[in-house]
Amino acid sequence: MKKLLFLLLFPAILFAQKTVIVKGIITNKFKTPIEGVTISYLSEGTTTDANGNYQFTIPMRKTVAVTFSHVSYKTIIKKFTSRGRTVFNYAPTFYFKTQELEEVVIKNQRKEAQGITTISTKKVKNIIGANAGVENILMTLPGVSNNNELSTQYNVRGGNFDENLVYVNGIEVYRPFLIRSGQQEGLSFINPQMIQNINFSAGGFQAKYGDKLSSVLDITYRKPTEFGAKVAISLLGGSFTIEDTFLNDKLSAIVGIRYRDNSLFVNSKQVEVNFRPTFTDVQTFLSYKATEKLTLNFLNNFSLNNYKYKPLTRKTRFGTLANPLELIVYYQGQEKDQFKTLFGAFSADFQINDALKITGTVSSFNTQEEEYFDIAAAYNLREIDTNVDSDNFGDVGISQGIGSQINHARNDLDALISNIQFKATLKDGKNEWKAGVKFQTENIKDRIREWEMIDSLGFSVRPPYYSGSNQPYEPFTGPIEPFKNVRAENDVDINRITSFLQFSRKSHWKNHEIWMNVGVRANNWSVKTANLSSKNQVIVSPRAQLAIKPDWEKDIAFPNFWRFLFATTILQRIT
């Protein structure tokens, strides 16, 4: 029986003596077992189990290179050679891979091709200036300038300040008309604390934008996802912003309140004044997701700009070193200006499907502006003692002229602008179509009551080009007339219909990217006043954009913009 058992086990004993067992546990530096480590040797292989265990056999008296590899760890290669041993215990420690990747930069070439500059919202919040905000950043761009640091208005490429389009969430907003161009609003419509995206185009913009010629400032207010509040306080005023979501996150709301006082900026002028310009602004943006396809938005703004101006004295020295003169002016009276604006807009976005979107907007803007002042000034022009040996050196002496002046104004302006518009966007593969139509009514009422009296050396100065007076050589017995006298009233109604259609496409020619946009705008204006004939004007404005990005080593794009304007005027008599 023993001989039979030996004969049955003899082949296994012979085979066991020709192989060696390799086994162990593979862990990482945290002593955690690693599952799924690939073990390859000769033409065979195995993997570790959930506990990091492994086991395999290799031939005896032969050097075998075994590779231990894992996607998340560094690869280990170990050589085993057995000369008498039957088991190898090998428990390596694996270390994570640390592979340095090259920097990858992703750019949105579409906005660059459209001639649009994207501005960082962080820069807007951190920039320092007399009027911190979006407009302060615009001044740093090529072609944008400002001639009044206390104003948020700007000129682009030599255009007027009222030739700039401003959009907030796709809704066109307006600025105060400002009765006198020397007075500017101190707060921009745009609240920097509510902004999410800022896009700016300095000309050559697409047909979907309006008909002003200088620039487009396209602002997107953010839609809050959670509660937040922010308070900012400075020597010039402060702001408070609060945001939150309601109705199971379907309704988002953000409210911003701002107050500003620019009194500190007028303390170092030649005119000694009591000047306190104050500005107040309240804005609200609501967005309600009624369904998966329908979103309702509401945007409103209230702003109040007050200017209280009370000049006291002015002293100015001028002339030459041999004949210096001093002009001193004493004032009485004050000026009170007020610009109040109200704006409200309601829009609905309906995403019919992935390709078609329709937007409807109704908005209204009202500005009420008052400019009231009564200021009397008395001046004295005197010589200055230039004799260095005199005890009165540097003091004023003989008066060369005296006089007085009175300015009076009661100017009012009331403007109401209302519109309704519809827009549609259709995407078809690489093609995109956009179209829109808008009807707008404007009513502007303007009343001017302003006069100026000037007295020189006791004689009333007549209006310019006045004949029949030879004062002071001959006495004048006629009535005293103001040097300037303006009395006017205007009541203008404007109706206009605007529409646009544009086509965009992005394609490739070989490895080069080509982006094109072609569009046209059409306007029909009708201007009606109380005492004058009605005037109609039709304006057609074709526009085109083409941008090419060659497949070069350097990242370069060549944008080109074309814009044409055709106008036809039709006069009609009021029947």
Side-chain angles (χ1 to χ4, degrees), residues 303-335:
S303 66
L304 182 63
N305 302 336
N306 285 316
Y307 296 85
K308 296 180 180 180
Y309 178 80
K310 190 174 182 179
L312 302 177
T313 60
R314 175 189 177 111
K315 184 181 293 185
T316 304
R317 291 192 176 187
F318 60 97
T320 63
L321 292 176
N323 187 26
L325 299 173
E326 181 185 81
L327 174 67
I328 185 169
V329 185
Y330 299 96
Y331 296 97
Q332 286 185 332
Q334 64 179 343
E335 176 178 351

Coordinates of all heavy atoms in Angstrom, one line a residue, residues 303-335:
S303 N -34.2 105.8 -9.8 CA -33.0 106.6 -9.5 C -33.5 108.1 -9.3 O -34.4 108.6 -10.0 CB -32.0 106.5 -10.6 OG -32.4 107.1 -11.8
L304 N -32.8 108.7 -8.4 CA -33.0 110.1 -8.1 C -31.7 110.8 -7.9 O -30.9 110.5 -7.0 CB -33.9 110.2 -6.8 CG -34.3 111.6 -6.3 CD1 -35.1 112.3 -7.4 CD2 -34.9 111.6 -5.0
N305 N -31.4 111.8 -8.8 CA -30.2 112.6 -8.7 C -30.5 114.0 -8.4 O -31.3 114.7 -9.0 CB -29.5 112.6 -10.1 CG -29.2 111.2 -10.6 OD1 -29.1 110.3 -9.8 ND2 -29.1 111.0 -11.9
N306 N -30.0 114.5 -7.2 CA -30.2 115.8 -6.8 C -28.9 116.6 -6.8 O -27.9 116.1 -6.3 CB -30.7 115.8 -5.3 CG -32.2 115.3 -5.2 OD1 -33.0 115.8 -6.0 ND2 -32.5 114.5 -4.3
Y307 N -29.0 117.9 -7.3 CA -27.9 118.8 -7.3 C -28.3 120.1 -6.5 O -29.2 120.8 -7.0 CB -27.5 119.2 -8.7 CG -27.0 118.0 -9.5 CD1 -27.9 117.2 -10.2 CD2 -25.6 117.8 -9.7 CE1 -27.4 116.1 -11.0 CE2 -25.1 116.7 -10.4 CZ -26.0 115.9 -11.1 OH -25.6 114.9 -11.8
K308 N -27.7 120.3 -5.4 CA -27.9 121.5 -4.7 C -26.6 122.4 -4.7 O -25.6 122.0 -4.2 CB -28.3 121.2 -3.2 CG -29.6 120.4 -3.1 CD -29.9 120.1 -1.7 CE -31.2 119.4 -1.6 NZ -31.6 119.0 -0.2
Y309 N -26.7 123.5 -5.4 CA -25.5 124.3 -5.7 C -25.7 125.7 -5.2 O -26.7 126.4 -5.6 CB -25.3 124.3 -7.2 CG -24.1 125.1 -7.7 CD1 -22.8 124.6 -7.6 CD2 -24.3 126.3 -8.3 CE1 -21.8 125.3 -8.1 CE2 -23.3 127.0 -8.8 CZ -22.0 126.6 -8.7 OH -20.9 127.3 -9.1
K310 N -24.8 126.2 -4.3 CA -24.9 127.5 -3.8 C -23.5 128.2 -3.9 O -22.7 128.0 -3.0 CB -25.4 127.5 -2.4 CG -25.8 128.8 -1.8 CD -26.4 128.7 -0.4 CE -26.8 130.1 0.1 NZ -27.4 130.0 1.4
P311 N -23.3 128.9 -4.9 CA -21.9 129.6 -5.0 C -21.8 130.7 -4.0 O -22.8 131.4 -3.7 CB -21.9 130.1 -6.5 CG -23.4 130.3 -6.8 CD -24.1 129.2 -6.1
L312 N -20.6 130.9 -3.5 CA -20.3 131.9 -2.5 C -19.4 133.0 -3.1 O -19.8 134.1 -3.2 CB -19.7 131.3 -1.3 CG -20.5 130.2 -0.6 CD1 -19.8 129.6 0.6 CD2 -21.9 130.7 -0.2
T313 N -18.2 132.6 -3.4 CA -17.2 133.6 -4.0 C -16.3 132.9 -5.0 O -16.2 131.7 -4.9 CB -16.3 134.3 -2.9 OG1 -15.6 133.3 -2.2 CG2 -17.2 135.0 -1.9
R314 N -15.7 133.8 -5.8 CA -14.7 133.3 -6.7 C -13.6 134.3 -6.8 O -13.9 135.5 -7.0 CB -15.3 133.0 -8.1 CG -14.3 132.6 -9.1 CD -14.8 132.6 -10.5 NE -13.8 132.2 -11.5 CZ -13.7 131.1 -12.2 NH1 -14.6 130.2 -12.0 NH2 -12.8 130.9 -13.0
K315 N -12.4 133.9 -6.7 CA -11.3 134.8 -6.8 C -10.3 134.2 -7.8 O -9.8 133.1 -7.6 CB -10.6 135.1 -5.5 CG -9.5 136.1 -5.5 CD -8.9 136.2 -4.1 CE -9.9 136.9 -3.1 NZ -9.3 137.1 -1.8
T316 N -9.9 135.0 -8.8 CA -9.0 134.5 -9.9 C -8.0 135.6 -10.2 O -8.4 136.8 -10.4 CB -9.8 134.1 -11.2 OG1 -10.8 133.2 -10.8 CG2 -8.8 133.6 -12.2
R317 N -6.7 135.3 -10.3 CA -5.7 136.2 -10.7 C -5.2 135.8 -12.1 O -4.9 134.6 -12.3 CB -4.6 136.3 -9.7 CG -5.0 137.0 -8.4 CD -3.8 137.3 -7.5 NE -4.2 138.0 -6.3 CZ -3.4 138.5 -5.4 NH1 -2.1 138.4 -5.5 NH2 -3.9 139.1 -4.3
F318 N -5.0 136.8 -12.9 CA -4.5 136.5 -14.3 C -3.8 137.8 -14.8 O -3.6 138.7 -14.1 CB -5.7 136.2 -15.2 CG -6.7 137.2 -15.3 CD1 -6.7 138.1 -16.4 CD2 -7.7 137.4 -14.3 CE1 -7.7 139.1 -16.5 CE2 -8.7 138.4 -14.4 CZ -8.7 139.2 -15.5
G319 N -3.3 137.7 -16.1 CA -2.6 138.8 -16.7 C -1.1 138.5 -16.8 O -0.7 137.3 -16.7
T320 N -0.3 139.6 -17.0 CA 1.1 139.4 -17.1 C 1.8 139.8 -15.8 O 1.2 140.3 -14.9 CB 1.6 140.3 -18.3 OG1 1.4 141.7 -18.0 CG2 0.9 139.9 -19.6
L321 N 3.2 139.6 -15.8 CA 3.9 140.0 -14.6 C 4.0 141.5 -14.4 O 4.0 142.0 -13.3 CB 5.4 139.4 -14.7 CG 5.5 137.9 -14.6 CD1 7.0 137.5 -14.9 CD2 5.0 137.4 -13.3
A322 N 3.9 142.2 -15.5 CA 4.0 143.7 -15.5 C 2.6 144.2 -15.1 O 2.5 145.3 -14.5 CB 4.5 144.2 -16.8
N323 N 1.5 143.6 -15.5 CA 0.2 144.1 -15.3 C -0.8 143.0 -14.8 O -1.7 142.6 -15.6 CB -0.3 144.7 -16.6 CG -1.7 145.4 -16.4 OD1 -2.0 145.8 -15.3 ND2 -2.5 145.5 -17.4
P324 N -0.6 142.5 -13.6 CA -1.5 141.4 -13.1 C -2.8 142.0 -12.7 O -2.9 143.2 -12.2 CB -0.7 140.9 -11.9 CG 0.2 142.0 -11.4 CD 0.5 142.8 -12.7
L325 N -3.8 141.2 -12.8 CA -5.2 141.7 -12.4 C -5.8 140.6 -11.5 O -5.5 139.4 -11.6 CB -6.1 141.9 -13.7 CG -5.6 143.0 -14.6 CD1 -6.4 143.0 -15.9 CD2 -5.6 144.4 -14.0
E326 N -6.8 141.0 -10.8 CA -7.6 140.1 -9.9 C -9.0 140.3 -10.1 O -9.5 141.5 -10.1 CB -7.2 140.3 -8.5 CG -8.0 139.3 -7.5 CD -7.7 139.6 -6.1 OE1 -8.4 140.5 -5.5 OE2 -6.9 138.9 -5.5
L327 N -9.7 139.2 -10.4 CA -11.2 139.2 -10.5 C -11.8 138.5 -9.3 O -11.5 137.4 -9.1 CB -11.6 138.5 -11.8 CG -13.1 138.4 -12.0 CD1 -13.8 139.8 -12.2 CD2 -13.5 137.5 -13.2
I328 N -12.7 139.3 -8.6 CA -13.4 138.7 -7.5 C -14.9 138.8 -7.8 O -15.3 139.8 -8.2 CB -13.0 139.4 -6.2 CG1 -13.6 138.6 -5.0 CG2 -13.2 140.8 -6.2 CD1 -13.1 139.0 -3.6
V329 N -15.6 137.7 -7.5 CA -17.0 137.7 -7.8 C -17.7 137.2 -6.5 O -17.3 136.2 -5.9 CB -17.3 136.7 -8.9 CG1 -18.8 136.8 -9.2 CG2 -16.5 137.0 -10.2
Y330 N -18.8 137.9 -6.1 CA -19.6 137.5 -5.0 C -21.0 137.1 -5.5 O -21.5 137.7 -6.4 CB -19.8 138.7 -4.0 CG -18.5 139.2 -3.4 CD1 -17.8 140.3 -4.0 CD2 -17.9 138.6 -2.3 CE1 -16.6 140.8 -3.5 CE2 -16.7 139.1 -1.8 CZ -16.0 140.2 -2.4 OH -14.9 140.6 -1.9
Y331 N -21.4 136.0 -4.9 CA -22.7 135.4 -5.4 C -23.8 135.4 -4.3 O -23.5 135.4 -3.1 CB -22.5 133.9 -5.8 CG -21.5 133.7 -7.0 CD1 -20.2 133.4 -6.7 CD2 -22.0 133.8 -8.3 CE1 -19.3 133.2 -7.8 CE2 -21.1 133.6 -9.3 CZ -19.8 133.3 -9.1 OH -18.9 133.1 -10.1
Q332 N -25.0 135.4 -4.8 CA -26.2 135.2 -4.0 C -27.1 134.3 -4.7 O -27.2 134.3 -6.0 CB -26.9 136.6 -3.6 CG -26.1 137.4 -2.6 CD -26.9 138.6 -2.3 OE1 -27.7 139.1 -3.0 NE2 -26.7 139.1 -1.0
G333 N -27.9 133.6 -4.0 CA -28.9 132.7 -4.7 C -28.4 131.2 -4.7 O -27.3 130.9 -4.1
Q334 N -29.1 130.4 -5.4 CA -28.7 129.0 -5.4 C -29.3 128.3 -6.7 O -30.2 128.9 -7.4 CB -29.2 128.3 -4.2 CG -30.8 128.3 -4.1 CD -31.2 127.5 -2.8 OE1 -30.5 126.8 -2.2 NE2 -32.5 127.8 -2.4
E335 N -28.9 127.1 -6.9 CA -29.4 126.2 -8.0 C -29.8 124.9 -7.5 O -29.1 124.3 -6.7 CB -28.4 126.1 -9.1 CG -28.8 125.2 -10.2 CD -27.8 125.0 -11.3 OE1 -26.8 125.8 -11.3 OE2 -28.0 124.2 -12.2

